[in-house]
Amino acid sequence: MFLISLASCKIKNTNAYSKENNTYRDSSYYTILSYGYPNLERLALMEIISEKWKIRNIEAAGCEVTKELMDKADAENKKTYAAIEKKYGKGWRERYEKDLEVAAMKQADIMDILITNKVFRAQLKKGNIEIDGIYKDVKQLDSEIYETAIYGYTEDNKRINCCTLHIDTKNKTVYLIK
């Protein structure tokens, strides 16, 4: 299966930004602004651990950026990093990166569990989705439980929602949610 990823090159509207608490809309999260061509794999891993860290990554601009926009985003991020360090202490970046590595390994564990699971395979068959054509959105619920939304695409690029599962990576069990 060949997939083409298109990244937006337009500058995003950042009017929802609140300088008082360095976040977008949800004041319980820290917001890190990004620009340039996105690393989609890393962004997916960041989303998995966002609940634990209360950090969201927001695209301030796509691949075409101005020096002014980069400087503005970097200045805001510097304030955000200071606030994160105040909450989580020195060395937070190393611990955050370690959690990203663990999330990547858990992604592999999740696929290993799903591939042999009969409930999962039955759901794929119902949705007429091939195992090598699945995509997943993963959200960590606790240290070993992950909520995983499974979907695929038709030949004309229409999304097919398959199911949502809770996957226990410790006990290697899968629970169908919807």
Side-chain angles (χ1 to χ4, degrees), residues 4 11 22 65 134-135 150 157 161:
I4 297 174
I11 294 175
N22 279 340
V65 295
I134 67 163
Y135 296 86
I150 305 292
N157 251 356
N161 292 322

Side-chain angles (χ1 to χ4, degrees), residues 78-97:
K78 188 174 180 179
K79 294 176 199 173
T80 302
Y81 294 145
I84 294 170
E85 185 170 311
K86 186 176 181 179
K87 179 173 181 171
Y88 295 116
K90 291 195 184 294
W92 74 268
R93 287 182 197 219
E94 291 80 9
R95 293 190 310 276
Y96 184 81
E97 290 298 323

